[in-house]
Amino acid sequence: MENTEQRRHFFDLKIPLGSLLGFYGIVLFAYGIFGPKDIYDKSFHMDINVVWGILLIVISGAFFLSAYLGRRVRK
Amino acid sequence: MKPVISLNFVDYMILSAYVLITIIVGYSLKKYMKTSEDFFLSGRSLPSWITSLAFLSANLGALEVIGMVANSAKYGILTVHFYWIGAIPAMIFLGLFMMPFYYSTRVRSVPEYLKHRYNEATRGLNALSFAIMTLLMSGISMYAMALLFELMLGWSLTSSILLSALVVLIYVFFGGLSSSIYNEVIQFFLIWLGLLPVVYIGLHAVGGFQGLVAKIPPDFLHAWRQMGSASKNPMGVDWLGLVLGLGFVLSFGYWTTDFLVVQRAMASENLSAARRTPLIASFPKMLVPIIVVIPGLLAVALLPQFKVVHGGPTPDYNSALILMFAHYLPNGILGLAITGLLASFMSGMAGNVTAFNTVWTYDIYGSYIKKNMPDEHYLKMGKYATIFGVLFSIGTAYIVRSFPNLMDYMQLIFTFFNAPLFATFLLGMFWKKTTPWAGFWGLLLGILAAATHYLLYQFHILHYSSEMAANLYQAWWAWCVDFVMTIIISLFTARKDEKELVGLVYGLTPKVHSDERFFKKPAFWGGLSIAVMIVLNIIFW
């Protein structure tokens, strides 16, 4: 039974997915804060990198949280 | 020509992280690939949220994304028909009525179902045509993508082709279908998160939805109002052609019989999850117009070269999306958008490659070339087929390069095979009197009918107000010929014993009873999905 359980779910996809999005969030956020500002003329002076960076960090957090809760339920 | 987009180190960092994670995911699945079913069907073990996102993502290739943005810039909101009536009813039908036959019989591919239901010849015809079409499609989309990247980013054609082919090869080689599916889920999120910023900033630039409505021609705004006659709408198609050709034949042919999508549902952990796969996928499918139709409309409203001018030069609609990126996205988020596009390309290609290696190994190699070998042999063959499939796709990409017209023909030939196949399936699954040879001849005659119709149209014996109308009616007539001929031939040829058809045909198969909670029941999801689709059509009437 333990063997089938292991096979059933391979590994939890939420973890690599959350890591990738989290990494993107941090990179975009940091570039938005510390990077050049004149590039935002294109986006009507909205610092889209900071906005999207925060969004990605939140989504990434949601994936980790759900992976954590899922594991607790299974235990 | 100078490339319109220049990426900087942050953009490249984002792109590289994506490539790295796909390879890591593929490689970490390697240890789970013990049998051929693990490799080709993910050991039938995946939960429905994963299979349904992969189901959608495999269809959301880059050619589709770029082509549909182009269509929206050209035809306006009419493009939603490809997502609503042209997909949702078929996806629901697959989940509610057809999935039980695919999943419960434990067949491993669509052609294998045809073998059990009809005969070896029907399977052979379908397996061979599907294998060839799939590889050609994958090569063609690879070429289209590389061409776009060459024009827009200044990457050489060969380096785009080799990079994307190599990455797909690595992750499919190690992890098979599971790897393809896991990556498709990642790609699903990247496509959305990469394309939404251009919608967000674009709407900001145009002054919100009201600003958008004010800046595009009124006939770009309604999905049905001008479908009364072909001459009144930009697409040149009337409502009958749209409903029969796209909504019925082409869409059902694609969503219910194309192994590329069906394979994702077959990888589910149980029958109920398999049935929920297309049903759950139908909800994000209905929302895809947000990331393809809105950018197309924004291009018309904001970019001067796409302004609708009668008699003016035809703009290059295929560049609409990338030009929107170039105008509105600063570096950083730009890298994410390009990654989204690359992700959609890879998901489409990996979908083709996994469908190919399965059909090749089980339905061609394992049935005609080397039968009854031990399972490890077929697992190994699947891995070789992956390499061979990728190499063949690269070859096709270069063939298309020297014959760009091939691209138009391919789309067409694709409809030759999908449209009649749906009639063969419909009769096979729901009419127990359909005979094995009727299945084969019906399918062949349907394909020939499509070819005949095409020739009649090319030689101006038949007339339509647009290329699209011709395509839609062609699909419809091919389906009709297959349907009618299969019935007629069934009356004169020998039937299969009913005992052999148990589990394969509706009426001879015991109904599935489940005591699941209502929110896990397929009928609940199917009903909800159709209701949402109707409401959306009314809103955008």
Side-chain angles (χ1 to χ4, degrees):
Chain A
M1 198 57 207
E2 213 177 282
N3 196 17
T4 52
E5 184 62 24
Q6 199 187 2
R7 257 188 43 142
R8 273 171 61 102
H9 290 282
F10 299 124
F11 55 80
D12 197 345
L13 179 61
K14 290 175 195 128
I15 292 174
L17 189 52
S19 316
L20 182 70
L21 297 181
F23 172 75
Y24 283 170
I26 294 165
V27 167
L28 288 180
F29 184 79
Y31 188 62
I33 299 279
F34 303 111
K37 300 286 178 228
D38 54 333
I39 56 173
Y40 302 107
D41 293 349
K42 275 183 175 181
S43 57
F44 298 85
H45 306 289
M46 182 193 339
D47 192 338
I48 184 80
N49 283 334
V50 168
V51 177
W52 222 252
I54 294 171
L55 179 77
L56 290 177
I57 292 169
V58 171
I59 296 175
S60 150
F63 274 117
F64 279 116
L65 186 69
S66 118
Y68 171 74
L69 292 178
R71 201 171 296 170
R72 268 190 26 177
V73 168
R74 230 170 290 152
K75 271 181 190 166
Chain B
M1 200 177 103
K2 211 176 144 277
V4 292
I5 287 182
S6 53
L7 300 180
N8 72 6
F9 72 99
V10 182
D11 303 317
Y12 280 113
M13 206 155 98
I14 291 176
L15 264 170
S16 331
Y18 163 69
V19 170
L20 192 69
I21 204 98
T22 53
I23 293 176
I24 292 177
V25 166
Y27 191 76
S28 9
L29 286 164
K30 185 181 162 209
K31 60 173 180 276
Y32 300 100
M33 301 298 123
K34 298 214 170 68
T35 67
S36 68
E37 282 226 342
D38 291 336
F39 190 77
F40 297 118
L41 289 166
S42 303
R44 302 188 199 257
S45 63
L46 299 174
S48 55
W49 77 271
I50 287 193
T51 51
S52 52
L53 294 184
F55 183 90
L56 186 60
S57 208
N59 163 258
L60 203 58
L63 207 57
E64 159 97 9
V65 172
I66 289 163
M68 287 298 165
V69 174
N71 271 341
S72 313
K74 202 171 168 186
Y75 306 122
I77 269 190
L78 291 175
T79 310
V80 298
H81 292 312
F82 290 96
Y83 293 91
W84 298 346
I85 192 161
I88 305 304
M91 290 164 85
I92 294 173
F93 188 78
L94 172 67
L96 291 186
F97 300 105
M98 289 175 69
M99 212 56 226
F101 302 114
Y102 281 134
Y103 196 89
S104 312
T105 47
R106 310 303 274 182
V107 294
R108 299 166 299 185
S109 68
V110 165
E112 194 173 330
Y113 174 85
L114 289 174
K115 178 200 156 190
H116 292 305
R117 175 60 187 86
Y118 293 108
N119 53 22
E120 200 58 72
T122 318
R123 170 211 233 168
L125 179 63
N126 179 240
L128 214 59
S129 57
F130 180 79
I132 296 171
M133 291 305 116
T134 308
L135 287 187
L136 290 177
M137 286 312 279
S138 137
I140 283 171
S141 60
M142 183 144 60
Y143 169 74
M145 185 70 195
L147 186 69
L148 196 75
F149 277 13
E150 184 178 39
L151 289 175
M152 300 295 161
L153 302 171
W155 296 1
S156 86
L157 204 70
T158 304
S159 51
S160 300
I161 288 180
L162 290 185
L163 172 78
S164 49
L166 189 69
V167 174
V168 170
L169 174 63
I170 294 175
Y171 76 72
V172 176
F173 182 85
F174 286 125
L177 182 66
S178 312
S179 177
S180 176
I181 287 183
Y182 270 26
N183 275 309
E184 278 152 8
V185 175
I186 297 177
Q187 285 145 357
F188 174 85
F189 287 98
L190 289 181
I191 295 166
W192 278 90
L193 291 167
L195 295 183
L196 275 174
V198 84
V199 175
Y200 181 55
I201 298 174
L203 280 175
H204 190 71
V206 82
F209 280 103
Q210 280 164 344
L212 179 62
V213 168
K215 285 199 180 94
I216 52 178
D219 58 348
F220 270 46
L221 290 171
H222 296 285
W224 287 101
R225 207 170 282 179
Q226 334 118 71
M227 294 306 289
S229 87
S231 54
K232 285 203 186 105
N233 64 72
M235 229 186 246
V237 181
D238 57 15
W239 67 271
L240 190 69
L242 186 82
V243 172
L244 293 179
L246 180 67
F248 182 57
V249 177
L250 277 183
S251 134
F252 278 72
Y254 177 76
W255 291 102
T256 66
T257 70
D258 197 305
F259 187 51
L260 169 74
V261 287
V262 174
Q263 188 179 24
R264 268 94 200 129
M266 281 181 172
S268 305
E269 58 194 349
N270 56 45
L271 173 61
S272 178
R275 296 178 71 193
R276 280 196 309 270
T277 298
L279 301 175
I280 295 177
S282 72
F283 293 93
K285 179 75 184 173
M286 280 187 264
L287 297 179
V288 174
I290 296 176
I291 50 170
V292 299
V293 177
I294 298 180
L297 295 177
L298 286 168
V300 175
L302 292 166
L303 303 178
Q305 63 266 51
F306 295 107
K307 214 170 188 144
V308 183
V309 189
H310 286 284
T314 316
D316 175 18
Y317 290 109
N318 283 330
S319 62
L321 182 63
I322 297 268
L323 287 175
M324 286 296 291
F325 286 177
H327 277 263
Y328 295 103
L329 299 184
N331 290 104
I333 205 80
L334 182 62
L336 190 65
I338 298 291
T339 305
L341 214 51
L342 193 69
S344 86
F345 170 70
M346 285 186 186
S347 69
M349 183 179 174
N352 280 315
V353 170
T354 47
F356 166 79
N357 66 20
T358 310
V359 166
W360 164 262
T361 307
Y362 284 145
D363 296 298
I364 299 174
Y365 182 80
S367 310
Y368 300 108
I369 302 173
K370 272 200 169 169
K371 284 188 189 177
N372 306 324
M373 297 295 281
D375 190 64
E376 301 95 77
H377 182 81
Y378 294 122
L379 175 61
K380 216 179 262 169
M381 191 24 118
K383 295 198 161 189
Y384 294 145
T386 307
I387 301 177
F388 168 77
V390 169
L391 289 178
F392 193 92
S393 306
I394 296 176
T396 314
Y398 282 95
I399 296 172
V400 186
R401 186 188 186 183
S402 7
F403 304 94
N405 289 345
L406 254 175
M407 220 144 135
D408 304 328
Y409 291 119
M410 278 314 305
Q411 275 297 355
L412 197 79
I413 296 172
F414 210 54
T415 68
F416 278 27
F417 292 100
N418 267 342
L421 186 60
F422 176 57
T424 306
F425 263 92
L426 202 59
L427 285 170
M429 282 185 174
F430 298 97
W431 193 46
K432 62 182 179 185
K433 293 181 181 166
T434 320
T435 64
W437 282 105
F440 176 78
W441 288 109
L443 184 58
L444 193 61
L445 289 170
I447 295 170
L448 292 176
T452 312
H453 179 278
Y454 177 69
L455 290 177
L456 291 177
Y457 173 65
Q458 285 301 307
F459 290 109
H460 306 289
I461 300 166
L462 287 171
H463 298 278
Y464 294 98
S465 37
S466 69
E467 196 94 347
M468 190 168 319
N471 262 340
L472 297 184
Y473 276 103
Q474 175 165 309
W476 164 249
W477 290 118
W479 183 87
C480 282
V481 168
D482 185 324
F483 193 78
V484 172
M485 291 315 291
T486 305
I487 293 177
I488 294 176
I489 299 169
S490 288
L491 300 176
F492 300 102
T493 43
R495 274 196 234 164
K496 262 196 173 178
D497 190 355
E498 286 200 3
K499 277 196 208 98
E500 288 177 63
L501 297 178
V502 173
L504 297 165
V505 183
Y506 197 81
L508 296 175
T509 308
K511 290 234 165 63
V512 239
H513 285 287
S514 73
D515 41 12
E516 287 169 317
R517 305 278 289 278
F518 79 94
F519 61 84
K520 283 209 159 182
K521 280 201 164 60
F524 166 75
W525 288 103
L528 189 66
S529 171
I530 206 90
V532 175
M533 187 199 88
I534 292 171
V535 171
L536 282 173
N537 273 296
I538 293 172
I539 295 175
F540 291 93
W541 184 264

